[in-house]
Amino acid sequence: MIQTNSNNAIPRGQPLPNTLDGELQRRLLRRSYSDYVQWVNDGFYMTHFHKWLCDKVQEFVEAPCTNGVFDILLLSVPPQTGKTYTVTETLPSWFLGKNPTDSVIIAGYEGTFAEGFSRRNRDKFCQFAPDIFRAHPNNNVQGVALWETDKGGKCRAAGLKGGITGHGAELFIIDDPIKNKEQAQSEALLAKIHDEMAPSVQSRIHPGGKLIVIQTRWVENDVIGWIQEHWSEYIWADINIPCECEDPSTDPLGRQLGQSLMGEHMGDTNLPQKIRKDNTWLANAKRLIIAADGQYTWNALYQGHPTAENGNLFDRTWWQYYHRNTLNLASFEYVHLSVDATFKKTETSDMVAILVSGIYKGEVYVWRIINKRMGFVETKAKIKEVIKDCGDVSELVIEDKANGSAIIDSLRYDDDSLPIVPVTPLGGKLSRAQAVSPFVLSGRVHLPDPSDYTPAELADIEWDGKGAYNPTELFVQQHMRFPFAKHDDLVDANSQSLARLIKLITGEEPTPARRIQRYVRWYPDMWEDYDRMTPAEQERFILTYGAPLEWRDTLDY
């Protein structure tokens, strides 16, 4: 902590005298980030939590990067606990004071938000750096979006979703890239942020640089979740500090079960009222937050666990289950293959979802479930493989947009391709799922029993979470957690599939004739039996035994 001579105390935040005490204080502030934070922020109360956070950030910044690319520190911290004050509004000024030729980039959910952080660091640098570090500002470049030191060091501020171009940095700080729950649930905004992570973040960090992401969690697919999935090998530390201690054995602050971040139990005496988030505050705040906003808000924002909430569109109990060995696709009235496609086979890409579903006695049965990362060639090959394996598939249903249009164009002219039903999506993912949710609620959608899958079918899914999921459980989980889950490819494919199947079941659209899968030689008695059958019996006969060879070149199914 800050040292002063008991007989000649140096007022905090005041210019340091050119005396022995002044020089000792100056050196302390250079080597100790926590003391610097307390010195330059007038009235700041350094709790045990803030001291720990400062020390952890300093340890990270000063640790050599051993991977040659960059290191990442992930900090999930509850709202309104001083995380921004402690780190984002102060660290760049200390870092540039020690390293006046380096550069810092600060990013937030929008430019004006990040510029506020930059302005406060600029002001601290201008006021304290000349005295503490003997570093000086460049008086010609002192804006809020960009300010410089007289040695060429820079601090740049920008909104993450707007892109960051033209500047590199040794230190990159992302503070709360998502503004609120509405933004967190915006698929378009999250996609924009994810798209900027490589071109606007990774490419701007100089080799051996540092990336700090400090945020309150909203959804599992936020920036921290994205980095955990795609840049895990560069994470120096991934730290979640829950508002309420959940496990004393892993708590970063060494708290006991149920204890708050601050208070006398942490050695914080005489806490100012405006930051008094002690055990009394915790008990009442938790009850109020859950009552007003639900358990999910408490778990995500305050405990750092954004995966707890289930959506309200699909309940686990709504799905029915069956064993595939009790049915045969040939007995279905209609079968199609529904595809939700993406063709970038990279760790950062979404997954392809393929479903084989059909109608049997007026109800829907899902037969095959595929969900994995595949490139264009693999996706096309997998579609053909599934058609060959299942045999009795009548149509291919696929969204006629972006990646879907590409595969439609590719398959349209294949001799062995299915008839293609191009789907023009109306509304967003949520509205399409809402449209089919009542049909699932009615108990008319059946899924394969989890024990039905072969090893090859189990290999046709990828699960990014803990544990091994079978295709049915993955399907149910994505639906239960929609629209909050990281992946929703199976929901998209199923919504598209059910929209088509419901129209056929209700008669809104005519059911297409079953596609003839094979032709065989018919004997005279087969012709005689066929001639005596009704049209419905004739169709079942052909599905069972195959069509006569004589029809091969005359029928177009």
Side-chain angles (χ1 to χ4, degrees):
M1 299 300 288
I2 292 174
Q3 300 172 352
T4 59
N5 186 295
S6 58
N7 297 320
N8 187 24
I10 303 172
R12 187 169 69 176
Q14 297 300 311
L16 296 167
N18 293 318
T19 62
L20 177 60
D21 286 336
E23 184 59 27
L24 289 174
Q25 186 64 37
R26 191 175 286 113
R27 294 185 180 186
L28 173 67
L29 298 176
R30 291 173 185 168
R31 70 171 182 266
S32 171
Y33 177 61
S34 62
D35 284 293
Y36 176 82
V37 169
Q38 193 168 6
W39 183 262
V40 302
N41 291 295
D42 186 40
F44 182 78
Y45 186 100
M46 182 69 69
T47 67
H48 174 79
F49 158 66
H50 295 122
K51 178 68 166 61
W52 180 91
L53 185 59
C54 288
D55 291 346
K56 181 59 64 174
V57 167
Q58 180 175 352
E59 180 187 358
F60 169 70
V61 169
E62 295 180 343
C65 176
T66 59
N67 60 50
V69 184
F70 67 116
D71 287 331
I72 304 172
L73 173 61
L74 301 179
L75 291 169
S76 173
V77 185
Q80 299 299 310
T81 52
K83 61 180 176 62
T84 295
Y85 202 71
T86 306
V87 181
T88 316
E89 292 185 2
T90 307
L91 179 62
S93 66
W94 183 77
F95 181 83
L96 288 175
K98 292 170 65 69
N99 308 281
T101 62
D102 285 350
S103 295
V104 178
I105 294 176
I106 306 173
Y109 59 79
E110 60 185 21
T112 54
F113 182 63
E115 288 171 3
F117 302 147
S118 174
R119 182 179 65 255
R120 296 178 184 94
N121 277 283
R122 179 200 62 188
D123 295 346
K124 289 170 184 173
F125 184 89
C126 291
Q127 180 180 354
F128 297 103
D131 188 19
I132 297 173
F133 303 103
R134 306 307 191 198
H136 300 274
N138 177 355
N139 293 325
N140 295 321
V141 185
Q142 288 293 298
V144 292
L146 175 66
W147 57 271
E148 297 183 0
T149 73
D150 66 345
K151 301 295 184 183
K154 298 178 178 66
C155 182
R156 167 80 190 279
L160 183 61
K161 64 183 180 181
I164 301 167
T165 59
H167 296 266
E170 281 72 28
L171 175 62
F172 198 125
I173 301 175
I174 300 176
D175 189 311
D176 277 340
I178 299 173
K179 181 178 182 179
N180 50 36
K181 189 173 184 179
E182 181 181 2
Q183 285 194 355
Q185 294 176 2
S186 168
E187 178 186 345
L189 187 139
L190 285 177
K192 176 65 175 175
I193 292 175
H194 296 162
D195 288 344
E196 293 297 335
M197 291 303 293
S200 291
V201 178
Q202 184 273 325
S203 66
R204 302 299 164 191
I205 301 175
H206 293 157
K210 303 288 182 171
L211 171 62
I212 298 176
V213 179
I214 182 166
Q215 71 169 95
T216 295
R217 304 296 303 272
W218 282 100
V219 291
E220 63 178 331
N221 201 23
D222 56 16
V223 171
I224 284 182
W226 190 94
I227 290 174
Q228 289 170 335
E229 181 178 356
H230 303 301
W231 289 351
S232 60
E233 64 269 35
Y234 303 110
I235 297 176
W236 181 83
D238 184 354
I239 300 170
N240 176 46
I241 307 175
C243 188
E244 178 182 23
C245 177
E246 300 170 313
D247 185 351
S249 66
T250 61
D251 189 73
L253 305 178
R255 296 174 292 173
Q256 297 302 307
L257 184 66
Q259 287 184 340
S260 63
L261 282 175
M262 308 172 193
E264 292 187 356
H265 61 283
M266 303 296 295
D268 305 326
T269 58
N270 301 316
L271 270 173
Q273 185 61 43
K274 66 179 181 180
I275 65 167
R276 190 183 295 276
K277 297 192 173 181
D278 54 14
N279 288 333
T280 301
W281 171 88
L282 174 63
N284 291 294
K286 180 179 180 180
R287 183 168 58 253
L288 288 171
I289 291 165
I290 293 176
D293 299 316
Q295 187 71 43
Y296 171 73
T297 296
W298 174 258
N299 289 342
L301 272 68
Y302 291 85
Q303 297 299 99
H305 305 307
T307 60
E309 183 176 42
N310 291 332
N312 58 6
L313 291 181
F314 302 97
D315 188 88
R316 174 183 287 276
T317 61
W318 297 354
W319 307 100
Q320 310 302 309
Y321 299 90
Y322 75 104
H323 287 285
R324 289 184 298 180
N325 60 8
T326 63
L327 294 175
N328 190 314
L329 278 179
S331 62
F332 283 29
E333 293 99 69
Y334 168 84
V335 179
H336 72 206
L337 190 149
S338 176
V339 180
D340 179 67
T342 181
F343 301 139
K344 295 179 181 178
K345 190 190 177 184
T346 66
E347 290 185 355
T348 62
S349 66
D350 290 331
M351 297 192 226
V352 176
I354 301 175
L355 296 177
V356 177
S357 301
I359 301 171
Y360 178 71
K361 295 184 177 179
E363 302 201 349
V364 172
Y365 288 77
V366 178
W367 190 266
R368 281 286 300 274
I369 301 171
I370 298 166
N371 191 205
K372 62 193 299 187
R373 292 181 177 89
M374 293 184 284
F376 176 83
V377 174
E378 291 170 291
T379 300
K380 185 176 177 181
K382 177 60 69 173
I383 289 173
K384 290 189 172 184
E385 174 191 316
V386 172
I387 293 172
K388 182 180 179 181
D389 289 347
C390 294
D392 296 288
V393 181
S394 300
E395 292 178 325
L396 172 63
V397 179
I398 186 167
E399 183 175 289
D400 190 7
K401 183 180 179 182
N403 296 330
S405 300
I407 202 167
I408 289 172
D409 291 340
S410 175
L411 291 174
R412 192 184 300 277
Y413 301 107
D414 286 2
D415 293 336
D416 57 347
S417 176
L418 294 174
I420 297 174
V421 180
V423 176
T424 301
L426 299 176
K429 292 184 177 186
L430 184 59
S431 62
R432 296 197 294 271
Q434 287 172 330
V436 301
S437 176
F439 187 83
V440 180
L441 172 61
S442 70
R444 299 175 67 183
V445 180
H446 304 254
L447 306 177
D449 187 88
S451 65
D452 282 2
Y453 295 103
T454 66
E457 290 173 331
L458 292 174
D460 271 338
I461 66 166
E462 292 182 23
W463 171 242
D464 294 329
K466 297 179 180 179
Y469 275 9
N470 59 71
T472 294
E473 182 61 21
L474 180 62
F475 181 97
V476 172
Q477 285 284 341
Q478 282 197 20
H479 282 76
M480 284 174 55
R481 294 158 65 184
F482 180 81
F484 304 109
K486 186 180 301 183
H487 297 293
D488 53 19
D489 322 280
L490 289 172
V491 180
D492 294 342
N494 190 45
S495 297
Q496 174 178 270
S497 172
L498 286 178
R500 171 73 172 158
L501 296 172
I502 292 170
K503 289 179 180 179
L504 301 182
I505 292 172
T506 60
E508 182 178 343
E509 293 184 6
T511 301
R514 292 297 300 272
R515 178 172 176 262
I516 293 179
Q517 302 291 330
R518 59 194 177 97
Y519 294 87
V520 298
R521 178 184 176 186
W522 277 21
Y523 295 97
D525 60 329
M526 295 175 70
W527 283 105
E528 293 174 1
D529 292 342
Y530 181 81
D531 289 338
R532 290 194 294 267
M533 295 177 182
T534 66
E537 292 172 334
Q538 289 176 340
E539 183 176 352
R540 286 196 296 271
F541 186 85
I542 291 173
L543 290 173
T544 302
Y545 298 104
L549 290 172
E550 291 85 347
W551 291 3
R552 186 196 300 272
D553 299 323
T554 60
L555 286 181
D556 180 17
Y557 279 82

